[in-house]
Amino acid sequence: MTINGEHAVAQHLQLKNAVGPNVAYLCTAMEIGVIKAFIDWKVFDHIPDEGQISSSSLADMIGGEQELLDLGPDRGGFPDAHAQSLHPLHGSFPAYLALHGFSSPKHAQVTPFGMATEHPNENVYEIIAGDPKLSKEFDSFIGRASKVFPMNGVYDLSWMQKQAAATRDRPLFVDIGGSNGHALRDILKDHPWLSAERCAVFDRAPTIEHTRANLDDSITSIQLVAGSVLDVLPSPVQGALIYQLHRVLNDFPDDDVRRCWKSLRTAAAPDTRVNVVEELLQANRNVAQDISLMLVGGKRRNAQMHAALAGEAGFKLNRIFPDTYNDCSVLEFLLA
């Protein structure tokens, strides 16, 4: 990527013109934090008024990380409802960089979000779990977000039917981060041959407790299993035919994603498939969302980045199923 002064001004105007007044305010709050960080690190001092400089060269000049400069064209706005809760973090962003260098978070326990909430050694899920109000709001948002990406018409599960009938003692479909179970409910409705008793929602303990208390009557027979995908998976969800990670991996830095894939590799059977459902990194994207993810320790990745991390644990990317309506894709992984 190349950067010049005119590019920075165009980015600013495009953002302001693309959103309404409320979202523009939130974007401005975040923008202030970014500009402050750029001033602190003398980024603007090295951007030419005329001509261009590569982001890699600029990163070398300031002693920072290139990926923070590769923000690319912006469509503007916050598609995620929870982004409104992030705007107070703009003040912690420069402070985080001053302490940890001009780089994205390397560990989920060390993030701008943790600094802003006075929990500097906890990840976003631990912080949310410790705040009942925030936890309730988070579960509500995730529950609504589960409807954003319907699998029907995007990913064909028919290949499972023969294998499901041939095995009786293993889980078939484990929805990791499945929240209220609505995504799994829709999958069961679209595939009546799937046994609900052999399907599971696997999520953090507070979410499972909330889901158990408010479980949709149509899916009371599914398994609800509490735990963390960063740890060894509990026995009820080991050896599944499919593990689905629905908008999970983008919440974590690379090292934690490696832990996730290692956990899945330990739990996987020889014919296990892992479906990663995420909005992929692309040139024409929402940069405000990239920054929002970084504040809590996450990042968006393209298919090659996901495949590289999965490959370290012994998985290979088999197929990509895009859903252009929702800007998401299903990445199907098999054991290598």
Side-chain angles (χ1 to χ4, degrees):
M1 176 183 172
T2 57
I3 301 172
N4 57 32
E6 182 181 358
H7 169 84
V9 173
Q11 289 284 80
H12 174 82
L13 292 176
Q14 184 180 15
L15 180 63
K16 299 306 179 190
N17 293 333
V19 300
N22 292 332
V23 174
Y25 165 76
L26 298 173
C27 291
T28 298
M30 187 171 291
E31 184 181 35
I32 290 170
V34 173
I35 291 174
K36 175 65 165 59
F38 275 33
I39 292 172
D40 292 344
W41 287 83
K42 302 187 185 303
V43 174
F44 294 120
D45 294 356
H46 298 286
I47 298 177
D49 294 329
E50 297 181 1
Q52 296 179 332
I53 182 173
S54 69
S55 56
S56 60
S57 296
L58 185 56
D60 289 340
M61 290 178 179
I62 67 171
E65 201 172 68
Q66 180 181 349
E67 73 174 14
L68 292 193
L69 300 172
D70 284 343
L71 296 181
D74 196 320
R75 292 180 309 199
F78 288 92
D80 290 341
H82 75 297
Q84 296 192 26
S85 67
L86 296 178
H87 77 276
L89 297 180
H90 73 274
S92 295
F93 179 53
Y96 173 87
L97 297 183
L99 188 62
H100 298 286
F102 196 87
S103 64
S104 60
K106 298 297 180 287
H107 305 284
Q109 279 74 21
V110 184
T111 66
F113 182 75
M115 289 182 63
T117 57
E118 300 182 354
H119 295 279
N121 299 311
E122 296 182 11
N123 66 43
V124 62
Y125 292 104
E126 292 168 339
I127 295 169
I128 288 172
D131 185 328
K133 182 176 183 294
L134 185 58
S135 183
K136 182 178 180 180
E137 292 174 351
F138 178 80
D139 287 336
S140 175
F141 164 74
I142 293 299
R144 296 193 304 273
S146 67
K147 302 176 182 178
V148 170
F149 188 85
M151 293 289 285
N152 192 25
V154 179
Y155 183 81
D156 184 7
L157 291 172
S158 62
W159 64 268
M160 291 181 61
Q161 189 165 5
K162 183 177 180 180
Q163 288 170 262
T167 60
R168 302 289 181 185
D169 57 351
R170 62 184 295 196
L172 297 177
F173 194 104
V174 176
D175 192 5
I176 297 174
S179 184
N180 57 18
H182 287 177
L184 183 54
R185 176 197 62 192
D186 293 341
I187 288 171
L188 290 169
K189 180 180 179 181
D190 294 332
H191 304 86
W193 46 266
L194 264 176
S195 169
E197 292 80 3
R198 298 174 64 191
C199 296
V201 167
F202 180 68
D203 214 320
R204 62 193 188 100
T207 298
I208 289 297
E209 291 175 9
H210 181 268
T211 299
R212 195 183 306 278
N214 299 278
L215 193 61
D216 189 305
D217 289 342
S218 64
I219 50 172
T220 54
S221 56
I222 67 170
Q223 303 298 309
L224 298 176
V225 183
S228 170
V229 72
L230 301 180
D231 301 323
V232 175
L233 299 190
S235 56
V237 292
Q238 289 193 6
L241 193 54
I242 282 189
Y243 293 105
Q244 175 176 277
L245 294 152
H246 182 190
R247 303 186 74 165
V248 171
L249 296 186
N250 281 3
D251 290 344
F252 293 100
D254 289 349
D255 284 351
D256 289 289
V257 173
R258 291 185 176 96
R259 289 176 59 193
C260 170
W261 281 111
K262 182 179 179 181
S263 175
L264 291 171
R265 181 63 184 88
T266 301
D271 60 348
T272 290
R273 302 190 190 192
V274 179
N275 286 347
V276 173
V277 183
E278 289 288 3
E279 184 176 356
L280 299 180
L281 182 69
Q282 49 192 317
N284 183 27
R285 68 187 191 275
N286 186 321
V287 176
Q289 188 175 4
D290 288 348
I291 297 172
S292 297
L293 285 169
M294 187 193 67
L295 293 176
V296 298
K299 67 165 71 172
R300 270 193 287 195
R301 302 170 176 88
N302 58 32
Q304 291 70 33
M305 294 164 73
H306 281 290
L309 292 170
E312 294 179 22
F315 289 91
K316 64 180 180 180
L317 178 60
N318 186 44
R319 291 180 293 176
I320 302 175
F321 301 85
D323 180 4
T324 55
Y325 179 79
N326 287 296
D327 290 332
C328 283
S329 297
V330 178
L331 307 181
E332 182 189 62
F333 289 90
L334 309 177
L335 290 181

